[in-house]
Amino acid sequence: MSGVFVVFEGGDGAGKSTQVRLLAGWLAEQGIAHRVTREPGDTWLGGHLRHLLLDPASGPISPRAEALVYAADKAQHVDEVVVPALSAGEVVVCDRYVDSTLAYQGAGRRMDLAELEHIARWATRDLRPDLTVVLDVDPDLAVHTKAEPDRLEAAGQEFHRNVRRLFLELAERDPERYLVLPGRDPREQLAATVRERVRELVERNA
Ligand code: TMP
């Protein structure tokens, strides 16, 4: 596949959407064809699944069911959005991917990581990002401003500490394919660091 696949990961409120927007703005300025997307939710099916997953009114969802619904979103997303864009040579900028399953369902819900990874890799045809940017924020210092947190945001501090730990562990295992940045650094500074890594990938890919 000829495009470049860039994923942003991190805890809730880490600033991913801002960085996705800034990177997309730079790609547009450079005239680089790109596609901004996210999981869960960026397909018709995914939109419905996102609603079911995050709406507090869904009530308790069994952790295995939750993992499978996230996997279904990924399967549809990879087939409908990510693979076609990469095949067209575009830079795909994706807000969350497989690592979110490992962090939230694995470390957060305490499910077996190897089993979850198997399911998520099957769902995504084992398509791996060229670069994963982890925006790291201590959940104990995160500012909680939302009056109505969604199902995952409401999961508690211990859950979110485990999520953070797993993102950092995944990044440590494969430094070539990860960039870990302190999410509280000034956003323009973060964006500049991300741009440099993406520029290298795009040039190498040309
Ligand atoms: P978002 O609000 O950053 O778009 O993410 C939605 C929520 O879904 C967020 O709390 C993280 C969670 N999530 C998982 O638990 N597993 C996954 O595989 C993905 C993609 C997201």
Side-chain angles (χ1 to χ4, degrees), residues 139-169:
D140 292 323
L141 303 178
V143 193
H144 299 287
T145 47
K146 280 200 182 169
E148 290 179 32
D150 66 36
R151 272 186 63 257
L152 278 289
E153 286 163 347
Q157 286 307 93
E158 184 62 21
F159 177 100
H160 289 285
R161 278 185 216 124
N162 290 334
V163 166
R164 179 196 193 196
R165 181 180 43 75
L166 202 89
F167 279 133
L168 295 177
E169 277 175 27

Side-chain angles (χ1 to χ4, degrees), residues 12 16 39-40 50 54 70 74 96 100-101 104-105 152:
D12 295 273
K16 287 179 291 92
E39 290 187 359
R50 180 180 175 93
L54 300 186
Y70 276 110
K74 290 181 197 310
R96 297 197 184 281
S100 278
T101 288
Y104 283 78
Q105 281 66 58
L152 278 289

Side-chain angles (χ1 to χ4, degrees), residues 45-99:
L45 176 65
H48 288 276
L49 299 178
R50 180 180 175 93
H51 182 72
L52 292 172
L53 285 162
L54 300 186
D55 188 352
S58 293
I61 295 180
S62 130
R64 282 169 191 259
E66 183 180 275
L68 289 170
V69 178
Y70 276 110
D73 170 75
K74 290 181 197 310
Q76 186 69 25
H77 184 232
V78 162
D79 281 356
E80 188 180 322
V81 177
V82 182
V83 167
L86 290 175
S87 300
E90 295 179 13
V91 176
V92 173
V93 182
C94 187
D95 190 333
R96 297 197 184 281
Y97 191 56
V98 168
D99 287 2

